């Protein structure tokens, strides 16, 4: 087996859904920063108020409505050992967007720390985004947070893939929103990750 893909595909983007009074697809074609903290002006006529990229926007764009996850539809996020997520930020996010209250089901590596995220927010931006939005799009699905150890990115991502492929029931949808230039990864690491990713594909796991 050289590659396993297209086992599960995202829904087609909605052709003409209205969000905040604008066409959802056109809004996301031009995402630009807005003056207000944490907000963006997304393709709306200028000048315009802030139209945030939030769970409502994404659900409209992908036309998934109020679809929910389930205990059988497990998911997970891959993070490296220098990053943390904030349980208090997750709770606030769910309250702000009127989402079901839900916590991370499994924290591999013990990198849940609201205090760390408050004092060093740069260590938490990506993990918080991953955790909050994966839960928002699939509320009710158990989420595993895997903070893999390694001296560099290559070692970390290989360790994560090897660990997941060794499990009898790994999370079925895995988010790994990190990357590196190919020249920074050794040939052995590339081969090892490719092998483990193929194993996960045969187990029904979507990366």
């Amino acid at each position: 087996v050289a590659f396993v893909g297209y086992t599960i595909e995202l829904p087609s983007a909605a052709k003409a859904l209205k969000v905040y009074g604008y066409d959802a697809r056109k809004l996301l074609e031009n995402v630009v920063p807005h003056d207000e903290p944490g907000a963006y002006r997304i393709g709306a006529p200028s000048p315009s108020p802030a139209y945030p990229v939030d769970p409502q926007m994404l659900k409209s764009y992908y036309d998934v409505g109020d679809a929910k996850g389930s205990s059988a539809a497990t998911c997970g996020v891959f993070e490296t050992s220098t990053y943390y997520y904030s349980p208090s930020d997750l709770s606030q996010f769910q309250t702000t967007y009127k989402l079901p209250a839900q916590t991370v089901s499994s924290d591999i590596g013990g990198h849940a720390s609201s205090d760390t995220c408050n004092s060093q927010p740069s260590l938490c931006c990506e993990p918080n985004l991953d955790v909050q939005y994966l839960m928002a799009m699939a509320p009710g699905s158990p989420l595993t947070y895997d903070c893999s150890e390694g001296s560099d990115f290559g070692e970390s991502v290989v360790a994560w893939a090897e660990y997941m492929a060794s499990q009898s029931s790994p999370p079925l949808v895995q988010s790994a929103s990190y990357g590196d230039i190919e020249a920074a990864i050794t040939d052995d690491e590339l081969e090892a990750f490719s092998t483990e990713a193929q194993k996960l594909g045969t187990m029904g796991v979507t990366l």
Side-chain angles (χ1 to χ4, degrees), residues 3 12 31 47 69 129 175:
F3 181 77
S12 298
V31 178
L129 181 69
S175 169

Side-chain angles (χ1 to χ4, degrees), residues 78 80 148-162 179-181 184-186 188-190 192-193:
F78 157 73
T80 58
S148 294
E149 300 292 335
S151 61
D152 56 27
F153 175 77
E155 284 189 7
S156 295
V157 75
V158 169
W160 164 70
E162 288 177 340
D180 205 342
I181 58 173
I185 308 297
T186 68
D188 286 345
E189 288 169 341
L190 289 171
F193 178 77

Side-chain angles (χ1 to χ4, degrees), residues 68-133:
K68 294 178 173 59
S70 71
S71 59
T74 53
C75 57
V77 296
F78 157 73
E79 312 292 341
T80 58
S81 59
T82 56
Y83 290 98
Y84 296 78
Y85 81 94
S86 169
S88 64
D89 280 7
L90 174 61
S91 177
Q92 182 178 348
F93 177 85
Q94 292 168 341
T95 299
T96 298
Y97 293 108
K98 297 179 174 58
L99 300 168
Q102 181 180 350
T103 59
V104 170
S105 298
S106 177
D107 176 15
I108 301 172
H111 280 240
S113 175
S114 297
D115 289 341
T116 297
C117 292
N118 288 335
S119 62
Q120 302 182 74
S122 63
L123 299 182
C124 305
C125 295
E126 184 72 21
N128 275 344
L129 181 69
D130 293 343
V131 169
Q132 291 168 11
Y133 273 85

Side-chain angles (χ1 to χ4, degrees), residues 17-27 42-45 47-49 51:
L17 284 169
K18 297 293 183 180
V19 181
Y20 305 117
Y22 294 93
D23 183 284
R25 293 191 67 176
K26 291 182 178 178
L27 283 173
I42 42 182
S48 72
Y51 295 92

Side-chain angles (χ1 to χ4, degrees), residues 133-155:
Y133 273 85
L134 188 48
M135 284 189 169
M137 300 307 287
S141 288
L143 184 142
T144 295
Y145 183 94
D146 187 353
C147 199
S148 294
E149 300 292 335
S151 61
D152 56 27
F153 175 77
E155 284 189 7

